[in-house]
């Protein structure tokens, strides 16, 4: 009597029956416990339906996991020390009147040659449909080449006074752009010690204050005709771009304009966004923009726009054997000095100009396709943006204008403003003529943090391995009542079946 159950439990059928009767999985155990066949069939069908439902539900969970979803949360971080950004300023009238007269009257310069060519009515017929372009600032830029920086506004004339955190004296880095020629950047990010640019308080006294001179008082012939397609041209004032320290920008696409005759206050608020890299998303953890350097040889901080512009410039150079004036030149191409602009006019062969220009236009039309196919430029994994709150006030009041000119120019006899505005004549310093010139030539710009609170937006994985395991456990329990212990029971059954087969073989 005692040997019978023992004998049964060690047979395959007995082991399976024992497993079905004792398993912690729900439903399947009823197959061995009910006597009638119809109830056994019902429980088998119910278990199989539950098992199929479990597989389907589980496949959805696994598919969701491999989609790598993210969630984004936003918090305000208080009592932070924030880093002051780069500030780039460009005169909206790119060519200095003094520089224009100097280079136009020198017949040996490229500027003079190009200006003379434009004013020769006999040659205008060669311009064809491109005539409006040839009279534009970008056309001057690509045709006078290195002279663009010479005829542009010079720092010693442009920046009258600069103060940062209350102290005097500032350092600027020059960059050249086809729509603005000379632009100047405060805090180019080249310093290894950035503690000087850390801001712990708010207000103008903890920011950057500039007084700028526009050179708008010199009368002379215009070098450019009005073109309605140039939406940012023919204004008086300054283009201002506030951007992450050390990054390269395109002032034509970025920034805002401020007018002369006013004091402009720009209150900033920093927001930071942290993105997830692969496999959750596409972002770049590059520190620098590959292949792009400042005129001093320093690397530019990585931005998606700069990466795309450099990639497009490389593609244009390889495809059309020329460059675009509004995209930065990669370092390896710039160092060769063996390049030309697609829009540069060939005085001897108009066909060459048309071919290059049409090739460039084609590349620009296919910009999106080229970026997807040839470039790997993504948003930075950690990016800073600066919200701006701008206000203006009348400046300077008439009763202070004489003292203003005396304060800033009595010891600067070599500057253009001194020669144009400053005289040791008290009547002149209070005249309407001086008031008009000051209103058209000067502006003050104050840039500071309005709050040191940082708005932090951060992406986190929306569905992790722990979430997947938790859901799989819930699905197993919901459909078939299984758990990890149930799988241990199955493993035990397999071992016992294998042992039973080995024992039978040994006996034979």
């Amino acid at each position: 009597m005692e040997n019978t159950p023992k004998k049964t439990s060690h047979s395959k059928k007995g082991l399976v029956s024992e497993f079905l009767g004792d398993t912690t999985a729900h439903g399947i155990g009823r197959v061995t416990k009910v006597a009638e066949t119809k109830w056994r069939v019902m429980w088998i069908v119910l278990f199989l339906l539950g098992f199929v439902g479990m597989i389907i539900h589980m496949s959805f969970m696994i598919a969701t996991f491999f989609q790598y979803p993210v969630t984004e949360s936003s918090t305000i971080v208080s009592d932070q020390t924030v880093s002051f950004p780069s500030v780039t300023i460009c005169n909206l009238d790119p060519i200095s009147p003094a520089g224009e007269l100097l280079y136009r009257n020198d017949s040996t310069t490229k500027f003079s040659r190009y200006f003379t060519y434009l004013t020769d009515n006999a040659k205008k017929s060669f311009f064809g449909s491109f005539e409006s372009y040839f009279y534009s600032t970008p056309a001057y830029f690509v045709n006078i080449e290195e002279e663009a920086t010479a005829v542009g506004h010079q720092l010693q004339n442009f920046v009258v006074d600069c103060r940062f955190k209350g102290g005097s004296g500032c350092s600027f880095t020059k960059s050249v752009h086809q729509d603005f020629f000379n632009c100047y950047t405060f805090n180019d990010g080249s310093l290894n010690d950035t503690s000087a640019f850390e801001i712990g308080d708010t207000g103008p006294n903890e920011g950057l204050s500039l007084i700028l001179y526009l050179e708008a008082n010199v009368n002379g012939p215009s070098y450019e005709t009005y073109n309605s397609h140039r939406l940012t041209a023919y204004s008086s004032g300054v283009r201002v771009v506030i951007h992450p320290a050390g990054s390269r920008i395109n002032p034509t696409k970025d920034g805002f304009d401020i007018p002369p005759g006013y004091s402009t206050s720009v209150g900033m608020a920093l927001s930071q966004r942290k993105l997830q890299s692969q496999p959750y998303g596409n972002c770049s953890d590059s520190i620098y923009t590959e292949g792009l350097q400042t005129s001093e040889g320093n690397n530019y901080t990585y931005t998606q726009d700069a990466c795309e512009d450099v990639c497009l410039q490389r593609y244009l150079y390889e495809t059309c054997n020329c460059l675009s004036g509004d995209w930065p030149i990669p370092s390896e191409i710039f160092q060769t000095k063996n390049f030309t602009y697609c829009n540069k006019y060939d005085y001897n062969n108009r066909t060459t100009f048309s071919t290059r220009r049409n090739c460039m236009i084609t590349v620009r039309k296919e910009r999106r396709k080229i970026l997807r196919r040839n470039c790997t430029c993504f948003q930075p994994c950690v990016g800073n943006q600066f919200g701006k709150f701008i206000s203006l006030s009348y400046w300077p009041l008439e009763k202070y204008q004489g003292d203003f000119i005396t304060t800033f120019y009595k010891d600067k006899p070599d500057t253009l403003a001194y020669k144009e505005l400053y005289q040791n004549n008290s009547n002149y310093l209070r005249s309407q003529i001086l008031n008009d010139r000051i209103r058209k030539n000067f502006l003050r710009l104050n840039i500071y943090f309005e709050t040191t609170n940082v708005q932090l937006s951060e992406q986190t994985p929306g569905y992790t391995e722990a979430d997947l395991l938790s859901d799989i456990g819930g699905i197993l329990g919901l459909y078939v009542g299984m758990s990890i212990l149930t799988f241990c029971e199955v493993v035990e059954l397999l071992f016992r079946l294998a042992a039973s087969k080995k024992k039978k073989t040994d006996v034979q």
Side-chain angles (χ1 to χ4, degrees):
M1 298 279 303
E2 293 179 357
N3 294 333
T4 303
K6 185 176 181 180
K7 189 175 182 178
T8 303
S9 65
H10 283 82
S11 67
K12 290 182 179 180
K13 183 176 180 181
L15 289 173
V16 173
S17 297
E18 181 184 342
F19 170 77
L20 293 177
D22 296 336
T23 182
T24 55
H26 298 172
I28 191 65
R30 298 292 297 170
V31 175
T32 60
K33 292 180 180 180
V34 295
E36 298 184 40
T37 303
K38 63 179 181 180
W39 296 116
R40 288 184 179 181
V41 172
M42 182 193 75
W43 281 110
I44 291 174
V45 171
L46 288 175
F47 179 80
L48 291 175
L49 289 174
F51 191 81
V52 171
M54 176 195 72
I55 295 299
I56 295 174
H57 196 164
M58 196 178 296
S59 66
F60 281 118
M61 293 298 99
I62 293 174
T64 299
F65 174 78
F66 283 105
Q67 290 174 357
Y68 299 108
V70 296
T71 58
E72 189 162 344
S73 60
S74 180
T75 57
I76 301 296
V77 183
S78 304
D79 301 324
Q80 286 283 349
T81 298
V82 291
S83 296
F84 200 82
S86 291
V87 177
T88 298
I89 51 175
C90 314
N91 197 315
L92 289 176
D93 188 12
I95 298 181
S96 163
E100 176 192 352
L101 290 172
L102 179 63
Y103 274 74
R104 182 157 53 84
N105 293 331
D106 184 350
S107 60
T108 64
T109 64
K110 295 178 181 179
F111 187 96
S112 176
R113 181 187 182 189
Y114 188 68
F115 185 85
T116 303
Y117 196 84
L118 293 181
T119 54
D120 188 341
N121 292 324
K123 296 178 180 178
K124 284 188 177 182
S125 59
F126 293 105
F127 296 158
S129 59
F130 302 123
E131 181 173 353
S132 61
Y133 164 75
F134 284 117
Y135 286 92
S136 67
T137 298
Y140 272 90
F141 178 82
V142 299
N143 281 282
I144 67 176
E145 298 178 318
E146 71 280 357
E147 290 181 8
T149 186
V151 300
H153 295 272
Q154 304 306 309
L155 180 64
Q156 66 271 21
N157 295 317
F158 188 31
V159 178
V160 178
D161 187 57
C162 177
R163 299 177 185 275
F164 181 64
K165 296 171 67 171
S168 59
C170 304
S171 176
F172 289 87
T173 301
K174 181 168 67 176
S175 57
V176 185
H177 302 269
Q178 73 163 7
D179 288 318
F180 301 96
F181 287 23
N182 293 340
C183 293
Y184 299 95
T185 299
F186 172 80
N187 182 20
D188 65 357
S190 62
L191 296 179
N192 293 325
D193 182 10
T194 60
S195 59
F197 298 102
E198 296 296 319
I199 304 296
D201 202 355
T202 60
N205 291 331
E206 288 295 313
L208 176 68
S209 181
L210 298 170
I211 295 178
L212 305 176
Y213 174 59
L214 305 182
E215 295 182 53
N217 58 296
V218 179
N219 296 318
S222 174
Y223 59 88
E224 182 178 1
T225 58
Y226 193 91
N227 185 341
S228 60
H229 295 289
R230 300 197 62 227
L231 304 181
T232 60
Y234 320 119
S235 299
S236 178
V238 172
R239 186 77 162 178
V240 181
V241 186
I242 299 173
H243 51 106
S247 61
R248 189 190 190 281
I249 47 85
N250 184 339
T252 305
K253 297 189 297 184
D254 307 317
F256 55 94
D257 299 338
I258 58 175
Y262 291 90
S263 177
T264 302
S265 295
V266 182
M268 299 183 297
L270 174 62
S271 60
Q272 187 175 82
R273 193 175 186 216
K274 296 182 178 180
L275 304 178
Q276 287 289 320
S277 57
Q278 290 287 352
Y280 292 96
N282 288 324
C283 71
S284 174
D285 56 4
S286 299
I287 300 175
Y288 303 113
T289 301
E290 187 269 329
L292 190 61
Q293 293 182 326
T294 67
S295 56
E296 288 79 13
N298 300 315
N299 294 314
Y300 279 107
T301 302
Y302 176 86
T303 63
Q304 184 179 9
D305 286 344
C307 176
E308 290 180 349
D309 288 348
V310 169
C311 184
L312 289 168
Q313 188 77 288
R314 283 198 182 104
Y315 182 87
L316 178 66
Y317 186 71
E318 294 170 0
T319 305
C320 306
N321 198 31
C322 57
L323 300 175
S324 171
D326 62 344
W327 291 335
I329 303 176
S331 303
E332 71 275 11
I333 299 176
F334 182 80
Q335 290 170 0
T336 66
K337 304 295 183 182
N338 184 27
F339 59 85
T340 188
Y341 289 105
C342 300
N343 276 342
K344 182 180 179 181
Y345 190 72
D346 190 331
Y347 295 99
N348 302 315
N349 190 340
R350 183 176 180 273
T351 304
T352 303
F353 164 77
S354 300
T355 302
R356 289 198 307 255
R357 180 177 170 85
N358 290 334
C359 183
M360 182 184 69
I361 291 174
T362 301
V363 170
R364 287 183 175 277
K365 287 181 179 179
E366 297 179 353
R367 172 190 174 94
R368 285 291 119 196
K369 292 181 181 179
I370 296 170
L371 289 174
R372 286 194 299 268
R373 186 174 63 243
N374 299 80
C375 308
T376 54
C377 298
F378 305 109
Q379 295 183 67
C381 292
V382 179
N384 293 333
Q385 292 184 327
F386 299 90
K388 296 171 282 291
F389 310 92
I390 303 173
S391 61
L392 292 86
S393 62
Y394 186 93
W395 177 90
L397 289 174
E398 284 79 0
K399 61 182 179 180
Y400 298 114
Q401 289 178 356
D403 289 339
F404 164 76
I405 294 298
T406 302
T407 299
F408 287 106
Y409 286 106
K410 66 179 180 179
D411 297 323
K412 298 179 180 179
D414 295 330
T415 60
L416 292 173
Y418 179 94
K419 298 170 184 177
E420 291 297 323
L421 301 176
Y422 182 75
Q423 296 179 11
N424 293 318
N425 185 325
S426 59
N427 293 327
Y428 175 73
L429 293 177
R430 290 192 295 269
S431 70
Q432 184 59 40
I433 297 176
L434 179 64
N435 173 54
D436 182 65
R437 288 190 173 184
I438 287 177
R439 296 287 296 162
K440 290 180 179 180
N441 277 278
F442 291 93
L443 59 86
R444 184 171 65 187
L445 173 63
N446 294 321
I447 301 176
Y448 53 89
F449 279 101
E450 198 168 68
T451 176
T452 56
N453 294 339
V454 179
Q455 182 175 351
L456 175 62
S457 298
E458 186 171 9
Q459 287 184 347
T460 54
Y463 197 62
T464 63
E465 291 87 346
D467 296 328
L468 178 61
L469 290 175
S470 178
D471 285 343
I472 288 176
I475 292 169
L476 289 171
L478 174 66
Y479 286 96
V480 292
M482 297 177 68
S483 66
I484 291 178
L485 293 179
T486 307
F487 287 100
C488 294
E489 294 172 0
V490 174
V491 173
E492 179 196 7
L493 172 64
L494 295 176
F495 273 111
R496 294 180 68 183
L497 289 173
S500 174
K501 181 178 180 181
K502 184 176 184 300
K503 184 176 180 181
K504 182 176 180 181
T505 302
D506 292 343
V507 170
Q508 291 176 348

